[in-house]
Amino acid sequence: MAGPVLTEVSIEQETRLHDALAQIKHVIIVISGKGGVGKSTVSSNLAMSLAMRGYSTGLMDIDITGPNIPKMFGIEDEQLMADADRMLMPIIVPPSLKVMSMAFLLPSKDVPVMWRGPIKMSAVQQFIEDVKWGKLDYLVIDMPPGTGDEALSIVQLIPKADGMVIVTTPQQVALLDSRKSVGFAAETKIPIIGIVENMSGFVCPHCGEVTDIFKTGGGEETAKELNIQFLGKVPIEPGIVLSGDSGTPIVLKDPKSASAQAFEGIVDKIIKTVE
């Protein structure tokens, strides 16, 4: 079966994209083979954890049809500003995280995005080129779910990326799609940093007992089979759901929780791999 076909990017486009990302040391792409596995939750907590450690960090949300990152940081009503050169300025989330999302460019958060492919890609290209990130140690990119045209075109627009973090859940259906993400990374020649198994067991808030609602260990087994680094398991906790809805990632709101500790371990491995 033939792999994905990459479209041409002009030299001028490459130059503008290069200039836009020239001051960024490391680019991490967070991807999932399917929707609903918690990719945005993983992206937001990874980015916040990096910022809390003192790294200059940016978070780019380019999930066009479902940009959830602003809600997870409580900034969905923020208005974008531009500098003298008409470059868009990211929204700053304490302590120092810079956030940009497609949601900021939409007329209303309740209006569905019904754009055809070329319009989406034009919007993504402008979004990357026209944002003034400044100097960053890390830029975390929250991708659209799946490995279709949108993801392919976006990856092509990003001239430098240290690697992909693949998010899955323990069910066999999700693991099947995560394997497609591995193939996608190979076709686009972007290294894989590792696999995160999200929703890996429910932690009872009363007794602390763990119940494997969606099974557990599937992501780790897949990583071993494919000879890919396993970054860690993130359990389900009521706190992680509430933190996302309240606009404060769990690593900041409850750093001693099981899920926050899991994210910290994952970030340790990512830093070690990338640095």
Side-chain angles (χ1 to χ4, degrees):
M1 184 178 293
V5 179
L6 301 181
T7 57
E8 294 294 328
V9 177
S10 70
I11 295 176
E12 181 181 356
Q13 288 174 327
E14 287 185 352
T15 301
R16 290 183 63 188
L17 290 167
H18 179 271
D19 291 344
L21 301 176
Q23 299 184 77
I24 299 172
K25 291 182 181 179
H26 303 295
V27 177
I28 298 172
I29 297 173
V30 182
I31 190 172
S32 64
K34 64 188 295 293
V37 299
K39 174 179 54 62
S40 294
T41 298
V42 172
S43 298
S44 59
N45 279 280
L46 295 185
M48 179 55 76
S49 177
L50 287 166
M52 291 169 62
R53 295 175 185 222
Y55 291 104
S56 178
T57 307
L59 175 57
M60 180 189 291
D61 175 14
I62 44 181
D63 187 344
I64 299 173
T65 57
N68 297 318
I69 291 296
K71 174 65 177 177
M72 294 181 172
F73 288 95
I75 55 175
E76 61 266 40
D77 295 325
E78 293 287 338
Q79 298 294 317
L80 289 179
M81 303 292 289
D83 66 4
D85 297 322
R86 302 184 68 180
M87 295 288 287
L88 296 173
M89 306 299 294
I91 303 299
I92 305 298
V93 176
S96 61
L97 179 63
K98 298 179 180 179
V99 179
M100 278 297 295
S101 171
M102 275 291 176
F104 297 139
L105 305 180
L106 302 179
S108 171
K109 60 184 177 182
D110 297 324
V111 176
V113 178
M114 301 176 69
W115 299 344
R116 294 189 182 276
I119 298 177
K120 289 182 179 180
M121 291 310 102
S122 177
V124 169
Q125 183 173 330
Q126 288 185 315
F127 188 67
I128 296 174
E129 292 177 356
D130 298 338
V131 175
K132 189 170 185 177
W133 293 104
K135 292 184 178 180
L136 292 180
D137 295 312
Y138 286 92
L139 176 64
V140 178
I141 299 180
D142 186 24
M143 292 280 286
T147 56
D149 288 342
E150 285 183 30
L152 181 62
S153 298
I154 291 169
V155 166
Q156 186 187 6
L157 287 173
I158 302 168
K160 52 176 280 187
D162 290 80
M164 292 184 181
V165 171
I166 299 173
V167 181
T168 186
T169 52
Q171 306 103 303
Q172 288 300 318
V173 172
L175 293 170
L176 177 63
D177 288 320
S178 71
R179 290 173 178 268
K180 295 177 183 178
S181 296
V182 173
F184 176 81
E187 291 286 354
T188 55
K189 296 180 173 58
I190 295 179
I192 298 174
I193 297 173
I195 293 178
V196 173
E197 182 178 305
N198 195 30
M199 306 182 193
S200 183
F202 168 73
V203 180
C204 176
H206 304 292
C207 66
E209 182 179 348
V210 178
T211 302
D212 296 328
I213 299 176
F214 301 125
K215 300 193 296 187
T216 187
E220 187 171 10
E221 291 177 8
T222 299
K224 288 180 179 178
E225 290 175 11
L226 300 177
N227 195 29
I228 296 170
Q229 179 176 211
F230 182 65
L231 295 172
K233 302 177 184 178
V234 181
I236 303 173
E237 292 183 290
I240 198 171
V241 178
L242 295 174
S243 68
D245 286 345
S246 66
T248 306
I250 193 69
V251 293
L252 181 61
K253 187 170 186 177
D254 188 5
K256 294 184 179 180
S257 64
S259 51
Q261 291 296 308
F263 280 122
E264 294 298 340
I266 291 168
V267 171
D268 285 341
K269 291 182 180 180
I270 290 175
I271 293 173
K272 184 177 181 181
T273 302
V274 172
E275 296 286 350

